[in-house]
Amino acid sequence: MPSVMIRKNENGELLFYVAKKDLEDVIVSIETDTQESWGGSIIIGDGSTWYIDPISPPPTFPTTLRFKRA
Amino acid sequence: MPDLTREETQSLIEEVLEVYPEKAKEIRAKHLTVNDHEVEQSKKCITSNRKSVPGTMTIRGCAYAGSKGVVWGPIKDMIHISHGPVGCGQYSRAGRRNYYVGTTGINTFGTMNFTSDFQEKDIVFGGDKKLAKLIDEIETLFPLNKGITVQSECPIGLIGDDIEAVSKAKGAEYNKTIVPVRCEGFRGVSQSLGHHIANDAVRDWALGKRDGDDTFKSTPYDVAILGDYNIGGDAWSSRILLEEMGLRVVAQWSGDGTIAEMELTPKVKLNLLHCYRSMNYISRHMEEKYGIPWIEYNFFGPTKIEESLRKIADFFDDKIKEGAERVIAKYKGEYQAVIDKYRPRLEGKRVMLYVGGLRPRHVIGAYEDLGMEVVGTGYEFGHNDDYDRTIKEMGNATLIYDDVTGYEFEEFVKKVKPDLIGSGIKEKYIFQKMGIPFRQMHSWDYSGPYHGYDGFAIFARDMDMTLNNPCWSNITPPWRKSEDTQALAAE
Ligand code: SF4
């Protein structure tokens, strides 16, 4: 369960950053991204999928969250 | 020598790898690549931040070097104890040339070496008592210090000393910031982990000291310079440009910086990040905790400076935007004169670089402004994100090498035949003896600054001075010169 920092890049896309793994990539899809909650399966630019139980209300970015590898 | 094609560069890499045993060859092959603009993510073509192959001659440093030497060391009003044997601190003392103002030994301590000078008995019985005594001595001898950091060397981690406990107790006793840093040299694969550990130590022990204290009057134009170590005065020649465009520079991290500046940084509006590799961690932390955005910029060479000034100004109102234009216009005549003078002397020359955190990509623009071309580059301790940023800056089909070994570097140079090499002091004399002009690009070969418009003038002069030095044509003694080389020289 790595902790992942999520922040916006210059183009307003969300970046998924795992310091320990040296991994930084844009988030390409989020399962749940509504007014009420944010999370579920998340796919990032390199094709890998990560999971987090949906959080409500949605977090404000940047923030650090703990993800599971899906 | 004409530029190599993609195939030629690839076969050059294979040729160089030939001498290695099977396994080493396999590992090293992943660290060498031909630049390809098609590739979006560097991890598809190059592996980085991995353990060096045992038996090869690596050029890297250790985690202690990353913390003591790079991140913490330049904070001038703190005393940085090299905790452990004397050598680590003594052999690296003042070598980096981070300039500062102050009276050394009274209120600033940058070029001094403080060490606990471990002996056998300290290894056997532990060094915590010695550390406590050392801190007492420092307080007596140098009462104007504003804080202390304990930079661990290898043995500290191996014998399991509790430097945190000592630091806490002494910090409370003297009511000072005392920061234990767990940057033992054996951690990680290079100095890069030392940067990260140092950043985390700043976060945990220093950064939040003034949270909730509003006595500092901030303005909407407050910025901090991060990742500029003031080598030969770099941060100064950057700072004046920012100030001229109307910004207020609250802190310099960490060249000519102070602990007070560090503590005030959470109050700024924007963090300006020059060396991404060594300070991105703390920038990300400040963005998350205090909501301070950060941007990367590049103050090498007029083209990049202009881009960066505009990019920075975009974060502010029209007053600053006008300020940026004013600064660019003001220096135009100055840098154009530099280009007019040196470009004809340097045009078309080819450069190979092998440096540390930001320069393998940041200085490319400055060389291009002088009409030179960078044909090979690489990082000692870069990560994938560094190479991501490098691919775009480098020409297609140029060489990229990660954690290059002494042997590989020499072979590449023999084949690529660059006109100039920019690398570290360990490489300098090898290449000079091979008859190739060389600049030491870690601490600017005792010159500098190279940042900003003022720095560019010095950069251009230095490159010209090195490349067009008459000594290079006299490398071969007259009695060794054959007829045709003499004819060549006469041309
Ligand atoms: S590797 Fe260890 S012993 Fe060597 S310089 Fe670094 S801290 Fe000192």
Side-chain angles (χ1 to χ4, degrees):
Chain A
M1 285 236 293
S3 35
V4 178
M5 182 182 269
I6 299 189
R7 58 183 290 266
K8 288 207 170 81
N9 69 5
E10 281 160 31
N11 309 325
E13 299 158 314
L14 288 177
L15 281 174
F16 188 94
Y17 173 68
V18 192
K20 285 269 149 55
K21 289 213 156 39
D22 228 347
L23 170 76
E24 183 165 40
D25 221 319
V26 285
I27 296 182
V28 287
S29 99
I30 305 162
E31 195 181 346
T32 331
D33 186 9
T34 61
Q35 297 277 308
E36 287 83 46
S37 67
W38 187 95
S41 284
I42 281 174
I43 303 172
I44 62 172
D46 69 354
S48 61
T49 313
W50 300 75
Y51 181 82
I52 187 167
D53 289 328
I55 311 166
S56 63
T60 49
F61 302 111
T63 184
T64 300
L65 301 166
R66 291 188 84 81
F67 277 77
K68 274 203 280 268
R69 239 177 208 290
Chain B
M1 158 149 198
D3 285 345
L4 299 174
T5 63
R6 173 169 304 282
E7 290 70 37
E8 281 166 339
T9 318
Q10 191 57 49
S11 65
L12 167 62
I13 293 177
E14 273 148 35
E15 197 186 317
V16 167
L17 287 170
E18 252 344 280
V19 297
Y20 287 128
E22 213 39 59
K23 212 163 171 194
K25 190 197 278 179
E26 204 181 299
I27 299 171
R28 285 303 307 160
K30 296 187 194 136
H31 292 263
L32 308 171
T33 190
V34 187
N35 193 27
D36 186 351
H37 283 173
E38 307 280 297
V39 179
E40 281 288 314
Q41 281 180 317
S42 62
K43 64 179 168 228
K44 301 220 171 77
C45 62
I46 195 159
T47 309
S48 54
N49 199 31
R50 288 283 182 292
K51 206 171 90 194
S52 308
V53 183
T56 59
M57 189 74 91
T58 175
I59 297 164
R60 285 171 160 176
C62 70
Y64 159 82
S67 175
K68 158 71 174 42
V70 175
V71 177
W72 278 106
I75 301 285
K76 61 180 175 180
D77 60 354
M78 294 179 89
I79 286 178
H80 310 284
I81 303 173
S82 297
H83 191 35
V86 64
C88 315
Q90 184 53 26
Y91 292 124
S92 60
R93 186 186 71 85
R96 199 148 161 264
R97 302 177 60 250
N98 345 66
Y99 285 3
Y100 58 89
V101 276
T103 312
T104 303
I106 306 294
N107 58 4
T108 48
F109 309 94
T111 49
M112 296 172 76
N113 178 30
F114 294 85
T115 176
S116 45
D117 188 17
F118 259 40
Q119 303 298 321
E120 248 167 70
K121 75 170 193 326
D122 303 309
I123 305 278
V124 176
F125 299 109
D128 284 342
K129 285 216 186 71
K130 194 170 197 179
L131 180 61
K133 190 168 162 223
L134 184 62
I135 293 174
D136 292 337
E137 276 177 20
I138 284 175
E139 286 305 320
T140 321
L141 290 170
F142 304 100
L144 293 183
N145 79 72
K146 295 280 161 50
I148 295 172
T149 67
V150 183
Q151 309 282 338
S152 316
E153 294 163 5
C154 287
I156 308 305
L158 296 172
I159 62 177
D161 271 8
D162 192 357
I163 57 168
E164 283 83 4
V166 179
S167 303
K168 267 199 196 125
K170 287 288 163 192
E173 185 183 330
Y174 293 111
N175 192 23
K176 269 198 179 145
T177 305
I178 300 187
V179 185
V181 192
R182 282 286 177 187
C183 55
E184 288 89 349
F186 58 78
R187 287 181 204 274
V189 299
S190 65
Q191 52 268 63
S192 181
L193 190 72
H195 305 144
H196 198 159
I197 293 170
N199 276 230
D200 288 353
V202 173
R203 177 193 71 196
D204 295 342
W205 296 83
L207 195 66
K209 288 253 162 159
R210 290 192 62 172
D211 288 1
D213 166 1
D214 296 327
T215 48
F216 178 73
K217 282 200 184 58
S218 65
T219 74
Y221 304 121
D222 287 357
V223 295
I225 298 179
L226 263 56
D228 192 324
Y229 300 101
N230 204 29
I231 289 162
D234 276 343
W236 294 329
S237 60
S238 307
R239 183 183 180 124
I240 53 167
L241 299 181
L242 298 169
E243 284 175 345
E244 266 179 65
M245 70 192 259
L247 299 170
R248 184 167 79 150
V249 180
V250 172
Q252 275 173 223
W253 290 52
S254 52
D256 194 32
T258 60
I259 176 80
E261 289 177 27
M262 260 190 174
E263 290 167 357
L264 286 175
T265 309
K267 323 249 179 237
V268 303
K269 301 293 178 294
L270 178 66
N271 276 326
L272 306 175
L273 183 57
H274 206 248
C275 177
Y276 170 85
R277 182 72 274 133
S278 59
M279 286 208 174
N280 80 80
Y281 316 100
I282 198 75
S283 315
R284 289 173 197 272
H285 170 73
M286 282 194 259
E287 182 179 39
E288 183 176 355
K289 185 163 175 204
Y290 302 101
I292 306 169
W294 53 276
I295 53 166
E296 292 170 56
Y297 69 108
N298 178 355
F299 268 4
F300 286 104
T303 314
K304 291 289 170 188
I305 299 176
E306 203 171 306
E307 256 172 45
S308 299
L309 288 175
R310 294 211 170 103
K311 189 168 154 194
I312 294 167
D314 268 346
F315 270 80
F316 296 94
D317 56 14
D318 286 345
K319 188 184 140 208
I320 302 295
K321 285 190 188 119
E322 279 158 31
E325 295 307 322
R326 199 174 56 237
V327 173
I328 295 167
K330 177 181 164 194
Y331 287 95
K332 187 137 202 153
E334 218 171 275
Y335 73 73
Q336 197 53 50
V338 172
I339 295 178
D340 291 345
K341 178 170 176 194
Y342 291 106
R343 193 166 174 138
R345 300 169 63 84
L346 297 169
E347 187 90 54
K349 299 285 188 204
R350 298 153 76 246
V351 190
M352 273 174 90
L353 297 170
Y354 179 68
V355 221
L358 78 162
R359 289 163 190 159
R361 64 171 177 278
H362 266 45
V363 297
I364 296 173
Y367 281 115
E368 283 171 355
D369 284 334
L370 292 170
M372 299 164 80
E373 189 195 353
V374 179
V375 292
T377 196
Y379 296 81
E380 277 176 33
F381 51 85
H383 296 207
N384 281 334
D385 36 9
D386 292 301
Y387 287 100
D388 284 343
R389 290 163 170 77
T390 313
I391 292 176
K392 294 179 227 120
E393 302 279 342
M394 285 291 284
N396 235 337
T398 48
L399 251 181
I400 296 188
Y401 29 84
D402 177 68
D403 184 23
V404 78
T405 65
Y407 157 77
E408 288 163 18
F409 199 14
E410 265 183 66
E411 291 304 307
F412 285 148
V413 166
K414 280 183 201 155
K415 297 285 155 43
V416 178
K417 297 199 174 59
D419 299 294
L420 177 74
I421 300 174
S423 189
I425 193 72
K426 302 190 285 304
E427 294 77 70
K428 179 171 177 169
Y429 299 101
I430 299 167
F431 292 120
Q432 286 192 343
K433 284 174 187 172
M434 282 163 69
I436 301 167
F438 186 99
R439 288 299 302 183
Q440 195 262 91
M441 293 297 277
H442 287 271
S443 60
W444 307 146
D445 237 340
Y446 319 102
S447 180
Y450 283 177
H451 292 180
Y453 290 116
D454 292 339
F456 177 66
I458 299 169
F459 174 82
R461 183 205 64 190
D462 285 356
M463 295 309 140
D464 174 46
M465 193 165 83
T466 308
L467 251 166
N468 295 316
N469 192 313
C471 74
W472 303 115
S473 53
N474 294 323
I475 289 274
T476 324
W479 60 92
R480 287 260 176 82
K481 275 190 187 146
S482 64
E483 295 289 315
D484 50 282
T485 52
Q486 257 164 4
L488 258 179
E491 262 177 35

